[in-house]
Amino acid sequence: MGKEALVVKRDVLFENKYFQGFLPFDEHDYISKVLENYEYHIRGDELENNSSLQQIIHYDWIVDKKEKKVFAYQRASGKKNYSETRLMNKISCGIGGHIDKEDSSNPIEKAMMRELMEEVVMKKYPKPKIVGFLNDDSDSVGKVHFGIVAVAETNGDVSKGDNEMKTGRFYSIGELESIFSDTNYEVESWTRISWPFVKDYLERL
């Protein structure tokens, strides 16, 4: 049996409110909806093509609150280093991942901390603060995933932790805006969608 991911039935998750794009945390309590209705399903092609189940993904931005910079990275290319072919080589600002069955105790928070420690090297790993939610039904990846967006504030150095990242470093707001407007870069849709809110968050620090 393969790894199992935390999911919520789509009609249950969006029972009281549906949105497209980014929704701030204080506008609807999706956290309670997830924690009161989740189940686990084996990850694989069947789950990736089942839009009746929403795979809950945490999506954590790392920001340097003193320098007002954001950690961004380019995903690796080639199945040897990165298995999700739909996201290969894309620019991303989110340290994201499924919530696995091994994260069963306090699953959202535990998955966030686990993924940070797996994906990046930091002197001290901060607890991410949930700031909003992501839903993007415009492509095949988005239709089966629901994002919980968080921000991890740090003043320390951060570097890429494994070969799933081709490159990774802190960028200023201006540098990121240039990347996002440059057609030579393919930027992950969730990064684009959540960037305006994270930019505002960073500017208010």
Side-chain angles (χ1 to χ4, degrees):
M1 181 179 289
K3 275 194 171 184
E4 294 180 70
L6 184 148
V7 301
V8 177
K9 291 183 174 63
R10 183 181 178 86
D11 58 352
V12 172
L13 184 65
F14 294 119
E15 180 180 12
N16 303 117
K17 185 176 182 64
Y18 171 84
F19 71 98
Q20 170 72 13
F22 182 89
L23 187 75
F25 173 77
D26 58 4
E27 290 195 18
H28 190 73
D29 184 11
Y30 281 105
I31 298 299
S32 293
K33 182 67 75 171
V34 169
L35 294 178
E36 292 169 5
N37 296 281
Y38 71 84
E39 53 193 270
Y40 290 98
H41 279 258
I42 297 174
R43 292 172 59 178
D45 290 342
E46 183 178 346
L47 185 59
E48 288 299 323
N49 291 286
N50 185 355
S51 59
S52 70
L53 295 175
Q54 295 294 284
Q55 300 170 52
I56 308 301
I57 305 293
H58 61 89
Y59 199 74
D60 314 322
W61 290 65
I62 302 173
V63 303
D64 185 322
K65 58 183 180 181
K66 183 178 178 181
E67 300 293 330
K68 295 190 182 298
K69 291 185 175 182
V70 176
F71 185 82
Y73 64 95
Q74 185 173 19
R75 294 186 186 276
S77 57
K79 289 188 176 181
K80 180 180 178 181
N81 293 323
Y82 195 73
S83 59
E84 177 50 90
T85 57
R86 297 171 296 184
L87 297 177
M88 281 181 182
N89 224 37
K90 290 187 176 184
I91 301 295
S92 176
C93 293
I95 306 297
H98 292 84
I99 301 173
D100 298 333
K101 199 165 188 176
E102 65 190 67
D103 301 315
S104 57
S105 175
N106 198 358
I108 297 172
E109 181 180 322
K110 190 171 180 180
M112 286 177 173
M113 296 303 298
R114 173 179 55 79
E115 198 80 23
L116 280 179
M117 289 186 279
E118 289 177 357
E119 298 297 325
V120 295
V121 177
M122 304 175 72
K123 291 180 180 178
K124 183 179 180 181
Y125 291 89
K127 178 181 174 181
K129 175 185 177 183
I130 298 173
V131 296
F133 306 100
L134 270 171
N135 183 57
D136 179 19
D137 292 333
S138 67
D139 60 34
S140 60
V141 179
K143 285 181 179 178
V144 295
H145 297 93
F146 179 84
I148 297 175
V149 183
V151 173
E153 298 179 9
T154 181
N155 287 324
D157 293 331
V158 180
S159 58
K160 74 185 191 76
D162 59 31
N163 292 327
E164 288 191 359
M165 293 183 188
K166 186 182 294 184
T167 59
R169 67 175 178 86
F170 276 107
Y171 292 80
S172 68
I173 291 175
E175 287 175 320
L176 275 184
E177 301 263 73
S178 295
I179 290 173
F180 294 164
S181 62
D182 190 334
T183 55
N184 291 314
Y185 293 103
E186 189 176 5
V187 180
E188 201 169 86
S189 63
W190 277 18
T191 290
R192 286 193 182 278
I193 292 170
S194 50
W195 169 239
F197 182 89
V198 176
K199 177 186 175 183
D200 180 66
Y201 178 96
L202 191 59
E203 289 178 332
R204 287 187 283 108
L205 282 175

